[in-house]
Amino acid sequence: MPGPARRRPSIAWLAVTALVATLGVAQAQAEPPAITPEEFETATQVYFDRCAGCHGALRAGATGPNLFPDRLAEKGEGYLEAIIYGGLPGGMPSMGAHGILTMEQIDVMARFLLNEPPAPAQISLDQILETWQVQVAPEDRPGEPQHDLDWENFVGVILRDMGQVAIVDGTTHELVGLVDTGYAIHILRSSATGRYFTAIGRDGKASLIDLWANPPEVVAEVKPCYDARSIESSKFDGFEDAYAIVGCYWPALAVVLDGLTLEPLKMIGTAGYQRGAGAYVEEARVAAIVASHHYPEWIVNIKEAGQTWFVDYSRLAEPGQPLPITMLDTDLFLHDGGWAGDRYFVVAANALDKLMVIDAQERTLAAEVTAGEIPHPGRGANWVHPEFGPVWATGNLGSAEMTVMGADPEGHPEHAWQVVARIEVPFTGNLFLKTHDHSPWVFYDSPMSPSPAGTATVCAIDKVALETERCWEVPGAQDLGARVVHPEFTRDGSEVWLSVWGSMNQPSFIVVYDAVTLEEIDRIEGDWVRTPTGKFNVYNTANDVY
Ligand code: DHE
């Protein structure tokens, strides 16, 4: 249906509607506003790219609230435009103020949200097989590295909006190679040996990157879903690099792949009943996945089901390919997480402000801990504190706090899974923190801060005093309209790198700090450095150093 000509909202008008929204004054909206088929199609794509991660492919909500038209109709189109433009302190990004969406797109998105959502498609194994390609067969790959570089100190840098991964030498800071991957590429994981990076794009495309090739190259790829966030390799003794798994956001699916060719081997549907005797959830998204060192299995977190699954890959090579799955009830809104020591895996139930501590040896829920608002650990940070023993920390999206808890039930039972410090930081909007045994600091970002200064700031937190030592703005980041994100260490822990995440229209840089003195020692620059986000040192990623 053709829509009427649309007005362009002015910033002043948006400010007024934001105030109205903040004061909770509802604007009645009887009929869904008109939207043309072209606008609907564009909005569906924008929603998939920018909104589905938090609000769900079906708009049923998760990290963010549900975006069903019946709820939103009470709030009205002006409210929606204001929130999309300006964001909210709890983590909703300011899409307009940060130049992510234009005024026209915001206008279309507000109308799209007030109309019924489209039904997303399912996928079959045949469709997945059509996307599977092996560029270099395992038998044609080199038996040893084809370069003299210290490949275990390579850093894979995600160039998000370029759909590329840059392989950078962690020793020389030189670019070793650039490879094409999936759209809006999200994370990399190292295979057990470190030889391969597996990459996952938001479009569900998985790529296998061989670091022994000169230059590194994609040797296999497959697209097992339409929307994905996680990927992991098999790491148990005897199964190194043998298998990989992709966790999909849509369809509700995890797909087991051959680790050397990415051939799809098993599809595991995740739609089902929520923890306990809960409701049936059609959209049960796969969030963090980690490879266990205790058993030949992956620990797979199903967000809307509130369950953590232990997926046993040890018998995949047998005829009939049984794939035993142990389901543990944890809690809803599971998102990201990492190892606390080598026995416990901690995953954030983010919208509940909780951390689930999973005992990977016993396959039980060891504890639930209340963090700050919307904990977002990435992988978290591990170190040994002189009083509390081994501890584990998370940042929080919604509160200006780094939360530290005891993580050693055997040696320090009185502190285990108790919050031992809530360390004040200047900004909300943290996404990642990281540390290394050779650094006295935890490095802490705040790219989702509503304050532009916050988005460009990094903090160093004292691991012994348990207080913020220093926070500083990365010079030049604000001039690029960029956010400073994702600390990562080099293999020996002497340097920490942070991405200056600007727009794809101009190059930005990766800033390198001395991990002890906090001095800036280099900027990795070049025309290729566009939209850098996550960075993954091969050794640290393969060995879960964080
Ligand atoms: Fe991520 C980890 C999901 C937005 C960069 N992100 C994760 C994980 C999940 C997740 C489930 C854990 C994977 C694992 O360990 O197996 N991320 C989501 C979303 O749903 C969300 C909130 C919204 C979306 O639409 O995707 C989202 N993520 C982002 C970003 O905006 C970031 C900063 C840049 C980007 O890709 O757009 C981003 N996420 C990352 C990174 C990690 C990650 C770099 C891995 C951190 C690590 O150190 O291992």
Side-chain angles (χ1 to χ4, degrees), residues 325-342:
I325 298 176
T326 306
M327 295 179 183
L328 172 70
D329 280 355
T330 44
D331 217 330
L332 302 181
F333 312 119
L334 301 176
H335 194 78
D336 52 348
W339 290 103
D342 54 15

Side-chain angles (χ1 to χ4, degrees), residues 48-54 63 158 160-161 184-189 202 228-232 249 285-290 303 334-337 345 376-379 431-434 447-448 485-487 501 533-536:
F48 165 75
D49 293 346
R50 301 287 176 189
C51 320
C54 292
T63 307
I158 294 204
R160 185 197 187 280
D161 294 337
I185 162 121
H186 187 229
I187 67 167
L188 298 179
R189 294 291 180 228
R202 273 188 177 66
R229 296 294 180 283
S230 49
I231 190 161
E232 179 61 305
Y249 262 21
R285 295 180 288 175
V286 180
I289 304 181
V290 72
K303 192 188 285 279
L334 301 176
H335 194 78
D336 52 348
F345 176 73
H376 195 280
R379 306 287 258 176
L431 283 185
F432 303 108
L433 75 179
K434 209 151 276 184
M448 306 310 279
V485 66
H486 200 251
W501 176 17
T533 53
K535 298 162 301 307
F536 302 85

